[in-house]
Amino acid sequence: MHRIEEHYYQINRIFLKMLGLWPYQQSYLFCHFGISCYLTLQLLPLILDVIVPLNATRSLKLITITEYFVNREKYACAILLHEMLTVYVGAITTCSTGLIFMAYILHGCALLKIASRRMKHAIQKNILAMPNPVKEYLLYQRIVDIVFVHRRVIQFHELSVSSFMISFAFLIIIGVTSLSLNLYQLLQLMTVTYDFGEISVIFILVVFHVNYMFVLNYGGEEVQNHGMELFQATYNGLWYAAPLRTQKLILFIMQKTTVKITLVCGGIFVASLEGFVTLVNTAVSYFTVIYSTR
């Protein structure tokens, strides 16, 4: 039991440290590191002018394509500051949302793992050797605890999903649309302009979209797998040697755990690896339609 708690405790600790929210020791901020690298690339011409100066000053070219209707060279610092704030807020918001949601998923997985372990050790030979009233009482209490944990998991996931149903619906629509447009933009750059800098930025955005979709759908797949582990632990136990009253209780658990615990995002989409493939196929289909109608 302690090993299970320690396992999921360590995973949640890593997620919180990525966000900089871990209170017990110094955090390494993944998002901050990425933004620092982005800022370094933006200011690379100015840095090279100091380290390796040339006869002419290197031009400062912004990676992000924006239009401010002002003199870009004159207001380069203000434009760069606005761009960095936008990227910083967007990256922190996106990473925080995904990591916090994964922490919720891992909490539910940990509860299911605890229920599976309790079910695995609920019916033991030393308990079966006890007198019948004592045996029935102990088995009844253990099974009640398992049912209580399982109900808590279901209620927790239903609350989490219902709280963010509208947000998930918008996130799915925006994510698929954005991935399709970025794929189209990437193809345009690779076949027309051959600008390596812009190609690198769009390629990173595409990879980020795919990874973001994969991580969240993988979390939904893990919830389903942990739910099935509880069914397997119940089925592989010594239920056949338990008293008849206990067998009836275990039968109800089996019937309940045969139904997969799924995360339904937006009321229409089930988070799983199959769902991830569906999202990517949909984005590629839209990209194909956009490319064929250009």
Side-chain angles (χ1 to χ4, degrees):
M1 187 72 66
H2 293 293
R3 186 167 59 182
I4 295 174
E5 294 176 354
E6 180 67 21
H7 172 72
Y8 289 96
Y9 169 82
Q10 292 296 335
I11 296 177
N12 280 309
R13 181 176 65 87
I14 293 173
F15 282 157
L16 291 177
K17 288 179 71 176
M18 286 181 180
L19 292 174
L21 300 177
W22 185 249
Y24 301 110
Q25 60 188 39
Q26 186 177 3
S27 303
Y28 55 92
L29 307 181
F30 178 75
C31 296
H32 294 180
F33 174 75
I35 294 172
S36 299
C37 294
Y38 181 84
L39 179 60
T40 303
L41 290 175
Q42 287 279 44
L43 299 178
L44 188 60
L46 301 180
I47 297 174
L48 291 177
D49 282 340
V50 176
I51 300 176
V52 187
L54 298 176
N55 293 331
T57 303
R58 295 179 175 87
S59 60
L60 182 62
K61 183 179 180 180
L62 300 179
I63 297 176
T64 306
I65 303 174
T66 55
E67 181 58 57
Y68 292 90
F69 302 102
V70 295
N71 190 332
R72 299 180 67 88
E73 295 183 358
K74 181 178 180 181
Y75 298 97
C77 293
I79 293 174
L80 181 60
L81 178 61
H82 178 263
E83 179 182 316
M84 288 308 305
L85 289 175
T86 304
V87 172
Y88 181 83
V89 173
I92 290 296
T93 303
T94 305
C95 293
S96 300
T97 304
L99 292 176
I100 290 298
F101 186 65
M102 282 301 298
Y104 290 162
I105 291 176
L106 288 172
H107 175 68
C109 290
L111 291 177
L112 287 172
K113 197 74 173 181
I114 292 172
S116 300
R117 186 173 179 84
R118 288 183 179 180
M119 190 70 241
K120 183 178 179 180
H121 299 281
I123 306 175
Q124 297 176 339
K125 294 181 179 180
N126 60 339
I127 295 180
L128 295 175
M130 294 180 179
N132 197 47
V134 179
K135 175 173 58 178
E136 288 191 1
Y137 175 77
L138 290 177
L139 293 175
Y140 176 79
Q141 289 297 327
R142 292 190 175 191
I143 293 175
V144 166
D145 290 339
I146 296 168
V147 172
F148 178 72
V149 174
H150 188 257
R151 288 183 60 188
R152 280 186 60 191
V153 174
I154 295 176
Q155 292 173 357
F156 176 74
H157 283 305
E158 289 178 350
L159 177 62
S160 301
V161 173
S162 62
S163 300
F164 301 100
M165 182 177 296
I166 299 177
S167 302
F168 284 148
F170 280 109
L171 188 63
I172 292 171
I173 295 173
I174 293 173
V176 172
T177 305
S178 179
L179 179 58
S180 302
L181 295 177
N182 278 285
L183 286 173
Y184 177 74
Q185 180 70 11
L186 180 63
L187 182 62
Q188 288 290 98
L189 293 174
M190 294 176 64
T191 56
V192 179
T193 61
Y194 304 103
D195 190 329
F196 180 76
E198 293 185 6
I199 290 175
S200 301
V201 174
I202 300 299
F203 178 76
I204 291 173
L205 288 176
V206 171
V207 172
F208 176 78
H209 279 77
V210 175
N211 287 338
Y212 199 81
M213 291 180 180
F214 174 78
V215 169
L216 295 182
N217 282 280
Y218 180 75
E221 185 75 17
E222 281 294 300
V223 172
Q224 295 184 23
N225 293 339
H226 281 72
M228 293 306 298
E229 281 184 16
L230 178 57
F231 171 77
Q232 293 173 0
T234 307
Y235 184 80
N236 295 329
L238 299 175
W239 56 269
Y240 50 85
L244 181 59
R245 182 185 177 187
T246 304
Q247 290 184 17
K248 292 180 179 179
L249 294 175
I250 294 176
L251 180 61
F252 285 115
I253 296 178
M254 284 182 165
Q255 292 176 344
K256 190 67 176 179
T257 53
T258 52
V259 181
K260 289 185 177 180
I261 301 177
T262 56
L263 300 179
V264 183
C265 301
I268 54 175
F269 175 77
V270 178
S272 62
L273 293 181
E274 183 179 355
F276 165 71
V277 175
T278 302
L279 287 179
V280 175
N281 286 338
T282 304
V284 173
S285 299
Y286 290 157
F287 154 69
T288 307
V289 172
I290 295 172
Y291 181 73
S292 62
T293 56
R294 62 174 184 167

